[in-house]
Amino acid sequence: MLNALVTLAAEEGETPNPLLPAWYDIVWSSVCFIVILFIFWRVALPRLKKLLDERATAIEGNIAKADEAQRRAEAALEEYTAQLAGARKEAGEIRDAAREDGRKIIAEAKETAAAEAARITASAHSQIEAERQSALVSLRSEVGTLAIDLAGGVIGESLADDAKAQNVVDRFLAELEASETAAAGSADGQRA
């Protein structure tokens, strides 16, 4: 069969150039190309241009929104930083005020304790002085009674009713107390 085709081709005489198509192929190909080009130019290209424009607008809008969001975020960060600094400053002031209040409370407590200690000391001194006076009165009375009883035993008579005996006992005790006070004063003078 291949031989038959080669023979037929040899009989036709002129061999066409395989690189150049026939003239009717060129015409119909050109018409098809022009129709496709016209459709592409009128339909596809405007749609493609519209789609690209919409996309560019959307991208520009998103970029603008992103820039605005970034500006808001930066403003919020600055505000947060300012609030944080204010809060730290306020916390420091509160801490300093608390320390100062603590110092005042401690000073007031010390003053109160010192006043209470002074009051208790004064109360104790007055109580001691009252007890001393009570003991002194009781001691005078007992010493006087004992001295009178002793003197009455020596004399052999009762001296309890005698006022003169009571005056003698009082004078003796006063002299004894004065000598004790003088001895205590001289002992204090030697210490100093």
Side-chain angles (χ1 to χ4, degrees):
M1 180 127 163
L2 187 59
N3 286 335
L5 285 176
V6 172
T7 332
L8 184 61
E11 288 176 0
E12 283 186 16
E14 217 177 284
T15 60
N17 187 357
L19 294 178
L20 283 175
W23 65 273
Y24 58 88
D25 283 338
I26 292 175
V27 170
W28 284 112
S29 296
S30 297
V31 169
C32 289
F33 178 74
I34 290 172
V35 168
I36 291 172
L37 182 64
F38 179 76
I39 291 172
F40 180 76
W41 194 271
R42 286 297 208 173
V43 177
L45 193 59
R47 286 185 183 175
L48 185 61
K49 185 176 180 188
K50 181 181 171 188
L51 179 68
L52 290 176
D53 288 344
E54 289 174 358
R55 205 150 189 209
T57 304
I59 289 172
E60 288 172 1
N62 287 341
I63 289 173
K65 287 178 186 177
D67 288 341
E68 181 63 28
Q70 185 174 2
R71 279 192 293 271
R72 279 186 275 162
E74 288 173 355
L77 179 63
E78 289 175 9
E79 182 180 341
Y80 170 74
T81 305
Q83 287 177 351
L84 184 62
R88 285 183 179 159
K89 181 180 177 185
E90 186 177 342
E93 290 172 357
I94 290 171
R95 195 172 33 247
D96 291 342
R99 284 184 186 141
E100 187 62 31
D101 289 346
R103 287 187 199 113
K104 287 178 183 177
I105 289 170
I106 290 171
E108 288 175 3
K110 284 181 180 179
E111 289 175 10
T112 304
E116 186 67 21
R119 185 189 65 77
I120 290 172
T121 304
S123 173
H125 283 299
S126 64
Q127 187 176 1
I128 290 171
E129 185 61 31
E131 288 179 7
R132 183 180 166 279
Q133 291 296 329
S134 173
L136 189 61
V137 167
S138 174
L139 185 61
R140 278 182 184 233
S141 141
E142 287 182 25
V143 168
T145 305
L146 286 175
I148 290 173
D149 288 343
L150 188 58
V154 170
I155 296 176
E157 291 184 22
S158 174
L159 299 175
D161 295 334
D162 192 18
K164 189 174 182 184
Q166 186 66 31
N167 286 340
V168 170
V169 168
D170 287 341
R171 191 183 69 214
F172 173 72
L173 289 175
E175 288 175 5
L176 182 64
E177 192 175 279
S179 68
E180 285 178 0
T181 305
S186 67
D188 288 339
Q190 289 176 352
R191 284 186 208 154

